[in-house]
Every structure is written in structure tokens, then in C-alpha cells.
Amino acid sequence: MNKILKYGFLDLIRSNWLILYTAFYLIVSVGVLMANGDISKSVISLLNVIIILIPLIATLYGIIYYYNSRDYVEMLLAQPITRKSIFMGQFLGLSLSLSTSFVVGTLIPFVFFGVFRSAYLMHFLFLLIAGVFLTFIFCGLSYLLGLANDNKLKGFGLAILLWLFFAIVYDGVVVISLVKYEDYPLEKFTMLSTLINPIDLSRVFIMLKFDTAALFGYTGALFNKFFGSSLGVIVSVAALSLWSIIPTWLIVRTANKKDF
Amino acid sequence: MLLIASLLAHSSLADIIKVGDGHPYSSVKEGLEAAAPFDTVLLADQTFYEINLRIEKPLTLTGTHQSIIDGELQDEILVIAADSVVVSGITIQNVGYSFIKDRAGIRVEEKDYAIIENCRLFNTFFGIYLQKSNHTIVRGNLIEGSDGSTETYTGNAIHLWYCEEALIEDNITRFHRDGIYLEFVNHSQVNRNVSFRNIRYGLHFMFSNHDDYTGNTFEDNGSGVAVMFSKWINMRHNKFINNWGSASFGLLLKEIYDGELSNNLFEDNTTAIHAEGANRILITQNIIRNNGWALKIMGNCFDNRITKNNFMGNNFNVATNSRQTMDTYEANYWDDYSGYDLDEDGFGDVPHRPVKLFAYIVERVPISIVMLRSLFIEMINVAEYIIPSLTPENLADSIPVLEPYQL
């Protein structure tokens, strides 16, 4: 597995797309830092980019990568290697290279801007961690969709739907329910709905760490009480971890059963 | 000869009574008792431990900042119980808190024409307390409570109750409950004061009419300024900065009529202006930037004119809970205006609707604020902007300007 991971990772990280992806984060981070001139505001601006783009890129790149490397995978399958090693290696290589691009691309400008000396180092680290989690989660989900669908068109369609659902539709359903049931106590429902969607969870978790929390009013006080506590942090990390582990486990399971 | 005689006579009228170690009078109390009307009581550079000093003649009490009267956390220190008293340049400190009596560093008790200037007051429960006193001047004082106190254990730095024609200017207040508090105060001026890090409000009006406050700075208070149940208040050239917190605002307008709010700066407040029952207020030429909400205006506000302001970098420019508005919005600069100006007259050709759908939803269901910065929200905002269905239809700026005003 390590060898497949290593070659997959090295192959991907040198590809033009990933260099472009890194460059994109470099440019966005520099731009955001120059425009705001302030670490805290830059992290918040970058948050907007990250919670939308990382899931989108991870989903699309994941599914493209799966279909493109099918021949290579089939060749590997003929070798005396377990399926688990092949697919785990592939998936981890993909997620790791995308994460590396993201981390390197954002870290360099922020380090030059003195993030290590600022009071917002923790906030920035939270942002990086959230980004890495989102990469793993959406790579895993889209890779799984690829595995489950031999029809490329269907696979692509489902992957885009997946992103649409988590980034937009889910929030729409929540907002509509909030308005519809405004007469009921909604605190627990809102909190649960935030915990379930990894994009919402990352967004709210990071925003609560910043001054923007004051905009949340008493809702913020309530959320802060939970997300600010160690239990809240553990539950949040557990939720994100579950979202990363379950697709990985499903990838292995599907791969083992699949007839190539 | 006559002239010299009259001058001599005049100088002998106003004696200087020196108080302190080595002087005829060793305590302030003795000095005040010995003084004749219109004398000056001059305190030496030392600390006097005295309380409940009553000034019952029109005289001047002065000294330097090293002339300290210390109350040792007991009862109040200086009570002005005569007209035309001047207190200047001295330091007053340590008044104990009380839940029964509003103890103060300096209290003016139903007498007029007092002048309190350039004094320093530290850790006095209430700072300067004017009750039923007219034509008072409070100028250039520094008034500090104790850091880390709570709302119940500290009073207001400058407290006015039933006063006419007071002049409050160039004071600095901090760590008190309210920086400046006015209740039943009419025809008064509050100018160029700095109120910061107070626990509740920087400036607080209750039931006060015909007052102006100009050129003040309100920074980092629990909330900036609250103007409640008052009429004809002019608010000009003030700065409302960094009043940030989950229930904070820069300026609260509640039940107020016929005022003017112009040329102010609102920056980094959770809510810059919160208007509730505000009527016939002219809001013009203000810079409102980088706030959470720029203007929260409730449905019970009528006939306000919001014109020629700069709205920049706020999370929400205007929020309201009502589907109609009786206010006028005209010729403001909105940073999120996306229209065009084909005839190049400087005004946009399509009206701007500053209330975003999300702002409306949040007013209705406060908890939905957790969706802030969600992609879905951005999308419905755009959809609503193009075809308004829920947000107030007539709440629109018909001639938004394209370039911010130079204010």
C-alpha cells in the first residue's frame, strides 16, 4: 500500500493540475492578505473560499482521478497485491496530494505575513485542519461514487449532485425548516443539523472562533457554550472523522466485492 | 488714589485660604468653614482623608493634581450646596459603593452655576453628580472607575438629573457604568468628551429634550450611546467605535422624535444604529463601515430620512422586521449596489434595495444567523434582489450614488 500511495502521491503532486491548484491558493491567500492587511480578517475571507472550493475541487478531482487511473488500477489488480492496498493507496495518495497543495499554498503567504507571531495562529490552524478534513471527506465520497458507477457520465452527475447537496441544498432545507417551524424551540435542531453537514460544521466552528461570533447574538452564546467546550470540540472532530472514515471503509468494502 | 483704594478693597474681598500641613488650616473642612464667600481655598500637594465636605458658600476650591481628597471607601466626598461654586484642578478618590445612596465624588445639590473643571476622580462610586442644578459647567475632568467592576458596583461617571443648560465638555470617562448619563436634562450640550471601556453605555439619555452632543468619541463600551424617550436631540460629528459584543450597538434610538444624526462615524460595532420607535430623524452624511449591522430599523419607525450616508463593508446594511417602511432612503452610497449609471449623472439608474433576504430571515428567526456565509444564502440574496418577494418592496434608495461621499 505504501508504494502505491507513494507513487500516486508523487505522480499527482507533480501534475499540472495540482501545481495550478497550489498556485491558486498562493494567489488567493496573498490577495486576501494584501487586501485585508490583517490576519484575522484574511482567515475569515479565506474561509469563504475554502468551504465552497475545497469540497468542489475534491469531488471533481476525485472522480476524474478514479476514472483516469482505471487502466492503471486494472493492471495493478493483476499483480499479487491486495485490493485494500491498491484502493487505499490510491485514495490516500489523492487526498494527501490535494491536502498538501492546499496547506502549502495557504501556509507560505501566511507564514511570510507572520501568522506564527500573531494571536490568530490557532484560528489559522483550525482553518487548515478543516480544509484537510473537507478534502479527505469529499475525495472519499467521490472516489466511492466512481467505484460504485462504471458509467462515467452517471458518476460525474452524481458527484456534482453530491457537492450541490452539501454546499447548497442542505442549507436550503435547514433554512426553510427554520422559517417554517419558527414557533418551536429550534436550538437543538440547528445544532444537530450543523453537526451533520461537514461543510456547515467547518464554517460554524471557525466563525465562532472569531469576532464574527458577536453577530450570532444569543444564538452565538448558545453555540459557543457547546462548540467552545471540550465536549463540543471532541464531538465536532468526531463528526468530521466519521465523515472521513466511513467513506474510506466503504471504498475498501466496495472494492473487495466489485467485479472488475 | 481712588482706583488703588478700590483695587485694594477688591483684593481684600477675595482672600486665598491655604490648607495643608504648615498652613493655618490643616483640613479641608476647616478651610471651607473659615472661608468667606468668594474666597479661594487652595489645597497643598498632599492627601487629605476626609468625607462629607459641604461647600455652603460661593467660593473656589482649587489645588493641583497632587492635592488629593481621599474618602477611604466610605461616604461621599464633596457636596456643593451653594450657587456659583468652582472646583478645579484637584484629585478626588475612593468613594465606597452603596446600594442605598448614590454616593458621588462631587455632588451638586440643587444649586446653580457650578463649575467643575480639570479635576481627576478615581474610584468614586458616582463621579460628578448634578441634581436639579442649572447652568453647570463640567469641563476637562478625568473620571475613572475601577477596572473589572460590574454594573451594580459602579455608578455613572457624570450623572445629571433634572438639569437645565448644562455644558459637559472635554471630559474623559472610563470603567464606570455609564460614561455620561442624562435624565430629565434639557437645553444642554455634551461636546468633545471621550467615553471608553464603560460597562454599560458611553452616553445615555433618558427623557431629555433639546440637547446636542457633538464631537464625542465612544469607544469600546458595553454599548455606545442610548438615546431613549427624548426629543430634539442633535447628534453630530461623533465617533462610535468598536462597541462589539453579542448585544452591543453603537447607537440605540428608542422612542425618540425630531432629532438629527449627521457627520458621525460608525465603525466596528455589532450593530451601528438600532432604531426602535424613532420618528422624524434625519440621518445624513454619516460613515457607517465595517459593522455587523449598519442600520437595524424596526417597523415602528416613521418618517425618518436616511440620505447621503456611506454604507461600506457591513455584513448587513439595512435590516428590518417589517414588510413596509415609512422612511425615506435617498442618495446614499451602498457598497453592494450593482446597478449602473448610463447618463453619468453620478446617480444609479436602478433603485437599490438594501435589505437582503437573509437580513429579513434573521430578523424573523434569529437562530438562522448560523447560516451566515453559506453559499445558499448568497444565492437567495441574489434571487431576492432581482425579484423581491419577502423583503419590503418600497424600502429602496431610488437614486443611490456610485461613488462614496468624501466625509
Side-chain angles (χ1 to χ4, degrees):
Chain A
M1 180 175 112
N2 283 340
K3 264 215 168 107
I4 294 166
L5 196 163
K6 191 178 135 196
Y7 286 119
F9 178 77
L10 289 178
D11 179 38
L12 275 166
I13 205 86
R14 280 177 302 189
S15 73
N16 289 340
W17 283 112
L18 271 240
I19 290 167
L20 198 72
Y21 190 54
T22 317
F24 169 78
Y25 280 111
L26 272 173
I27 293 164
V28 169
S29 304
V30 170
V32 158
L33 281 166
M34 299 283 245
N36 289 317
D38 170 77
I39 300 256
S40 129
K41 282 182 185 154
S42 308
V43 174
I44 278 283
S45 308
L46 207 57
L47 172 71
N48 284 347
V49 180
I50 281 168
I51 54 166
I52 302 304
L53 265 184
I54 287 197
L56 182 64
I57 301 290
T59 311
L60 291 182
Y61 207 80
I63 196 117
I64 293 171
Y65 181 67
Y66 173 80
Y67 288 131
N68 277 359
S69 57
R70 243 191 97 105
D71 298 341
Y72 169 60
V73 167
E74 274 171 14
M75 190 269 288
L76 283 177
L77 283 168
Q79 312 298 318
I81 316 171
T82 61
R83 285 188 170 190
K84 187 182 167 191
S85 308
I86 297 171
F87 288 97
M88 281 298 283
Q90 284 258 300
F91 160 63
L92 288 180
L94 169 74
S95 314
L96 276 177
S97 52
L98 279 174
S99 308
T100 312
S101 284
F102 158 65
V103 170
V104 169
T106 38
L107 195 62
I108 291 173
F110 273 86
V111 167
F112 271 104
F113 226 80
V115 74
F116 285 114
R117 279 175 278 112
S118 84
Y120 292 97
L121 178 61
M122 280 311 286
H123 302 68
F124 180 66
L125 289 182
F126 274 126
L127 184 80
L128 289 188
I129 292 167
V132 170
F133 261 119
L134 287 176
T135 310
F136 271 81
I137 292 166
F138 283 89
C139 277
L141 288 171
S142 67
Y143 200 82
L144 185 65
L145 278 178
L147 257 178
N149 294 289
D150 282 336
N151 182 343
K152 283 188 190 180
L153 218 54
K154 199 176 161 199
F156 268 117
L158 286 174
I160 289 167
L161 273 183
L162 173 88
W163 176 80
L164 269 179
F165 176 77
F166 281 107
I168 298 169
V169 178
Y170 184 90
D171 289 357
V173 172
V174 172
V175 170
I176 290 165
S177 344
L178 287 180
V179 173
K180 190 157 169 52
Y181 299 105
E182 60 179 319
D183 298 334
Y184 296 86
L186 293 163
E187 288 82 5
K188 285 190 177 140
F189 167 76
T190 317
M191 219 175 261
L192 194 71
S193 72
T194 308
L195 270 174
I196 289 172
N197 183 342
I199 297 182
D200 281 349
L201 181 56
S202 316
R203 181 172 54 77
V204 171
F205 192 85
I206 290 172
M207 275 202 299
L208 281 177
K209 301 279 170 220
F210 282 93
D211 289 350
T212 28
L215 298 182
F216 283 29
Y218 83 91
T219 315
L222 196 84
F223 270 64
N224 252 332
K225 211 167 118 191
F226 178 71
F227 287 104
S229 69
S230 44
L231 175 75
V233 175
I234 291 167
V235 171
S236 309
V237 172
L240 289 175
S241 306
L242 273 181
W243 269 112
S244 329
I245 291 164
I246 291 173
T248 317
W249 174 71
L250 283 173
I251 288 172
V252 174
R253 217 182 75 135
T254 320
N256 276 336
K257 285 189 179 160
K258 192 172 161 75
D259 188 12
F260 281 94
Chain B
M1 276 304 284
L2 215 75
L3 187 73
I4 294 165
S6 73
L7 274 174
L8 278 173
H10 189 262
S11 68
S12 68
L13 266 178
D15 278 341
I16 294 178
I17 313 276
K18 291 187 176 172
V19 174
D21 297 340
H23 295 297
Y25 304 100
S26 59
S27 76
V28 185
K29 194 177 167 68
E30 288 168 29
L32 291 174
E33 274 168 9
F38 305 106
D39 282 356
T40 296
V41 177
L42 177 65
L43 304 184
D45 289 358
Q46 67 177 82
T47 306
F48 301 90
Y49 296 98
E50 292 179 62
I51 54 168
N52 292 326
L53 298 163
R54 290 182 72 83
I55 303 181
E56 288 167 331
K57 300 154 206 161
L59 47 76
T60 301
L61 176 64
T62 185
T64 70
H65 287 155
Q66 270 71 51
S67 315
I68 300 166
I69 307 180
D70 191 320
E72 296 180 286
L73 299 177
Q74 298 172 50
D75 208 349
E76 57 189 0
I77 296 176
L78 205 56
V79 179
I80 295 175
D83 284 344
S84 308
V85 171
V86 178
V87 177
S88 79
I90 58 170
T91 299
I92 287 181
Q93 65 188 29
N94 296 334
V95 173
Y97 66 83
S98 161
F99 298 134
I100 302 160
K101 190 176 163 192
D102 289 347
R103 293 171 177 169
I106 302 174
R107 173 197 301 279
V108 183
E109 216 174 60
E110 304 184 19
K111 294 293 180 221
D112 303 338
Y113 302 104
I115 299 177
I116 301 165
E117 60 183 1
N118 302 327
C119 292
R120 304 211 284 188
L121 291 92
F122 300 118
N123 195 26
T124 55
F125 180 49
F126 279 78
I128 296 169
Y129 196 119
L130 313 182
Q131 68 187 72
K132 295 193 173 172
S133 307
N134 304 328
H135 308 282
T136 313
I137 299 175
V138 178
R139 182 190 288 140
N141 302 287
L142 169 70
I143 307 170
E144 277 188 21
S146 58
D147 193 6
S149 197
T150 59
E151 207 168 292
T152 39
Y153 288 93
T154 182
N156 306 319
I158 299 175
H159 185 103
L160 276 73
W161 186 69
Y162 279 107
C163 297
E164 295 278 335
E165 299 194 38
L167 177 62
I168 314 289
E169 57 183 21
D170 299 310
N171 301 286
I172 300 174
T173 69
R174 66 169 174 171
F175 304 138
H176 271 274
R177 183 165 66 202
D178 290 344
I180 301 168
Y181 179 89
L182 300 102
E183 189 170 354
F184 308 109
V185 174
N186 303 321
H187 302 103
S188 295
Q189 304 273 331
V190 178
N191 301 330
R192 299 186 303 277
N193 301 283
V194 178
S195 254
F196 67 113
R197 298 189 63 188
N198 291 295
I199 298 156
R200 196 169 62 182
Y201 303 128
L203 171 64
H204 190 176
F205 277 88
M206 295 290 274
F207 314 107
S208 297
N209 305 323
H210 298 285
D211 299 312
D212 297 348
Y213 66 95
T214 311
N216 303 282
T217 302
F218 307 102
E219 193 167 349
D220 229 341
N221 299 294
S223 285
V225 175
V227 184
M228 308 198 218
F229 308 99
S230 298
K231 293 170 187 168
W232 296 289
I233 306 285
N234 291 321
M235 307 161 255
R236 301 186 178 115
H237 296 282
N238 301 289
K239 289 181 179 153
F240 304 78
I241 302 171
N242 202 29
N243 297 293
W244 192 264
S246 52
S248 294
F249 44 77
L251 173 62
L252 171 71
L253 302 173
K254 187 169 167 61
E255 301 301 329
I256 91 159
Y257 297 82
D258 299 294
E260 185 188 312
L261 177 68
S262 60
N263 295 95
N264 300 286
L265 169 71
F266 294 87
E267 198 169 44
D268 296 323
N269 304 290
T270 313
T271 302
I273 304 169
H274 184 115
E276 216 175 292
N279 301 296
R280 299 190 295 275
I281 311 283
L282 173 65
I283 300 179
T284 185
Q285 293 173 50
N286 301 289
I287 301 175
I288 309 176
R289 68 177 174 219
N290 298 345
N291 303 284
W293 281 266
L295 178 60
K296 253 191 199 177
I297 190 155
M298 297 300 123
N300 55 357
C301 296
F302 296 95
D303 299 325
N304 300 292
R305 267 173 60 83
I306 296 108
T307 178
K308 294 184 182 169
N309 301 287
N310 284 345
F311 289 87
M312 301 186 281
N314 304 298
N315 270 299
F316 301 99
N317 279 335
V318 179
T320 183
N321 59 351
S322 162
R323 291 211 49 201
Q324 37 266 319
T325 180
M326 302 294 173
D327 304 319
T328 323
Y329 295 79
E330 216 171 61
N332 296 287
Y333 171 75
W334 309 93
D335 60 351
D336 56 345
Y337 180 56
S338 54
Y340 44 82
D341 179 22
L342 286 184
D343 52 8
E344 289 183 11
D345 61 352
F347 297 104
D349 298 347
V350 285
H352 178 66
R353 294 176 198 288
V355 180
K356 289 180 181 168
L357 178 58
F358 185 46
Y360 180 77
I361 294 176
V362 169
E363 251 352 280
R364 238 178 92 176
V365 194
I367 201 163
S368 59
I369 186 74
V370 294
M371 286 298 161
L372 185 69
R373 287 165 194 273
S374 154
L375 187 57
F376 172 73
I377 294 302
E378 301 303 324
M379 287 173 53
I380 57 168
N381 278 342
V382 172
E384 176 75 17
Y385 189 80
I386 299 165
I387 313 157
S389 60
L390 286 170
T391 52
E393 219 171 307
N394 60 344
L395 202 167
D397 188 332
S398 51
I399 44 166
V401 296
L402 285 131
E403 292 294 322
Y405 292 98
Q406 298 298 317
L407 296 173

